[in-house]
Amino acid sequence: MEKRFLALIEKSIKIHWNMPVFSDYEGDTFFYRDMAKEIEKLHILFREADIRKGDKIAIVGRNSARWGIGFFAILTYGAVAVPLLHDFTPENIHNLVNHSEAKVLLAAQHNRKSLRPEVMPEVNTFVSLDDLSVTNCPDAVMEAYKNLETLFQQKYPAFSPDDVHYHEEEPDELAIINYTSGTTGFSKGVMLPYRSLWSNTQYAFDKLPFIKDGDNFVCMLPMAHMYGLAFEVLNGVNKGCHIHFLPRIPSPNIVVESFKNIRPTLIIAVPIIIEKIIRSRIFPVLEKPLIKLLYKFPLTKQLIKKKISKQLNAAFGNDFVEIIIGGAAINKEVETFLLSIGFRYTVGYGMTECGPLIAYEQWDTFKQGSVGRIVDRMNVLIDSPNSDRAGEILVRGMNTMLGYYKNPEATTEAFTDDGWLRTGDLGIIDDDGFLFIRGRNKTMLLGSNGQNIYPEEIESILNNMPYVIESLIVSQEDKDTHKQVLIALIYPKWELAKKYGVTKETLRDIMYRNIAALNRQIPYYSKISSVELREHEFEKTPKQSIRRFIYQSDE
């Protein structure tokens, strides 16, 4: 088997030439042949901009068909792609473009209008993702853009699959610099080689055999993040699928509407999307007095579960084979409910530094509470003196990164002396080979007597209590005793409280009752001392993980 990622993409484009590849939801559709043509046009512009193999090209914008085409154009040319999240601030984008040493910037108009070319001096050409127009560029590039169609026709008089020939990469050649979203720290440029892209894409091809060419995907996750990019886009294009991009941040209503119309075969999601749909559409039904009564009897309970399962399947388009949930931990109450109705979901595990996959298991053999089994071409070691105790998850294999761009200190810190990548997560592996996450090493708190406290486990209980939307457990020094105590930062359901006339003082009392109930369920050394109510949601990464380091350092 030729272990080249770009060989997979080249082959797929040729095979699926007359099939649709990208659609903007309720917008334009591009066929594989259209994508191939647009890629060649961008290659013409790159050549005129004097881009060499290995040069960096940044790309920023909301998910769109042209974003996908631009990304593949960068890699197939032999340049290094630097995908940037569209909701980074202009200052973030300026800094990351400069740090990456990008020579060309592909930007959607939404982002382009807020960027200042003069503070990105190494960028010699700005290309609009909306229409391939160019600005702040050499005269030769502007001239090429004005005559782009003519230049294309001169080079390819009768464009066909035989004209598609892409860069032939080496396994350890740098493909992507992906700047991490920074849950527990600040952005670092993860250097992903082509072997990582090939290994992740090949694994999806091998282990998701139910996906066929022509199947529909709905792309909800930001393509500038490796989770969505790898399994919605790279996997989808390799399989010959039709990928539909949602135009804005997907609310439950938009998601359900798109699923109904598109009927995807595979759904890739972060927990918050699934949880919002369950909590807004399913749990309120179960709280109705009659349903609660009928739920107590085995026969009617099964009938209710069957009906709910049917409704939930319809909400996700009915045709999906499974939903893969990743990017953050799923709420235990929601997971238990999904399992109880036989819902077709599974939970995967990975990190940007592995491009991203580390563990996965198909829904019908998946074990609740786990994140699956270790994927092909990867090894995992639990750094713990005892096999039954949680330790840091160390990984090694074809998926792993080369290191952090221009950051040798962080790269050295990320790997052990014998080459294992530190995930920063704590976990165990059971006798069946399933990996269970117990928390993050960086967020683990130390109890007064040296006990390990995993705040995520406490938060998962608290988040299911009355009037709580989300919470964060942090450690603070008590001003009187000078000992470290645990504080619950809580973002409550302000709108619900307002609806039922619950005052802020009463809401605070409710939270302290929640904490009292919580403390009865957890070990004495992890008891919560006090509560702070927050007026706004916690700041989150694109995966919808709370940026913990902000709040721990502020307190």
Side-chain angles (χ1 to χ4, degrees), residues 294-306:
L294 294 175
Y295 211 68
K296 294 179 180 180
F297 302 100
L299 181 60
T300 49
K301 182 178 181 178
Q302 286 304 115
L303 291 173
I304 291 170
K305 282 185 177 181
K306 187 175 181 180

Side-chain angles (χ1 to χ4, degrees), residues 25 31-32 53 88 112 143 150 183 281-282 302 333 482 509 547:
Y25 189 54
F31 286 69
Y32 280 83
K53 309 293 186 184
F88 275 158
R112 175 67 182 87
E143 199 62 29
T150 300
T183 305
R281 291 174 172 262
I282 304 301
Q302 286 304 115
E333 181 188 26
H482 300 291
D509 291 340
R547 295 183 187 270

Side-chain angles (χ1 to χ4, degrees), residues 224-242:
H225 193 276
M226 284 309 302
Y227 179 34
L229 178 63
F231 295 102
E232 289 177 332
V233 181
L234 306 188
N235 171 39
V237 170
N238 182 46
K239 287 271 192 173
C241 297
H242 184 185

Side-chain angles (χ1 to χ4, degrees), residues 339-367:
L339 189 72
S340 74
I341 63 171
F343 193 65
R344 303 186 299 280
Y345 83 98
T346 186
V347 178
Y349 168 65
M351 59 191 298
T352 303
E353 288 84 346
C354 290
L357 206 53
I358 295 171
Y360 162 84
E361 184 71 18
Q362 193 165 301
W363 77 274
D364 51 352
T365 50
F366 170 74
K367 186 179 289 190

Side-chain angles (χ1 to χ4, degrees), residues 425-547:
D425 293 320
L426 299 166
I428 60 170
I429 297 178
D430 71 6
D431 294 338
D432 297 320
F434 283 91
L435 178 63
F436 292 79
I437 307 298
R438 290 291 181 257
R440 279 196 62 83
N441 201 18
K442 292 181 180 178
T443 61
M444 184 185 73
L445 305 174
L446 202 61
S448 57
N449 293 323
Q451 305 93 338
N452 292 342
I453 299 170
Y454 305 120
E456 296 93 339
E457 295 184 354
I458 302 173
E459 292 155 7
S460 69
I461 300 171
L462 182 55
N463 290 347
N464 288 314
M465 292 186 163
Y467 286 94
V468 178
I469 291 181
E470 58 184 358
S471 63
L472 197 65
I473 305 300
V474 300
S475 178
Q476 292 183 14
E477 183 180 283
D478 184 273
K479 294 179 181 178
D480 297 324
T481 65
H482 300 291
K483 293 182 178 179
Q484 290 297 119
V485 295
L486 298 182
I487 310 296
L489 310 182
I490 299 175
Y491 176 55
K493 296 179 179 177
W494 292 110
E495 290 299 319
L496 186 66
K498 182 178 179 181
K499 178 180 178 181
Y500 290 107
V502 178
T503 65
K504 187 173 183 178
E505 290 72 23
T506 302
L507 192 59
R508 187 178 297 277
D509 291 340
I510 292 172
M511 293 304 159
Y512 272 100
R513 290 199 293 272
N514 286 342
I515 294 302
L518 172 69
N519 284 340
R520 290 193 291 270
Q521 300 180 49
I522 58 179
Y524 72 93
Y525 56 78
S526 57
K527 292 188 183 300
I528 308 303
S529 297
S530 64
V531 171
E532 292 181 13
L533 301 188
R534 300 191 62 83
E535 296 291 335
H536 305 287
E537 289 187 44
F538 296 102
E539 185 177 335
K540 297 184 180 68
T541 72
K543 295 188 301 180
Q544 297 301 305
S545 302
I546 296 172
R547 295 183 187 270

Side-chain angles (χ1 to χ4, degrees), residues 2 42 73 164 182 195 199 221 232 341 347 383 392 514 541:
E2 188 179 18
L42 279 166
V164 176
R195 58 170 162 76
S199 183
L221 305 180
E232 289 177 332
I341 63 171
V347 178
D383 188 15
E392 184 174 11
N514 286 342
T541 72

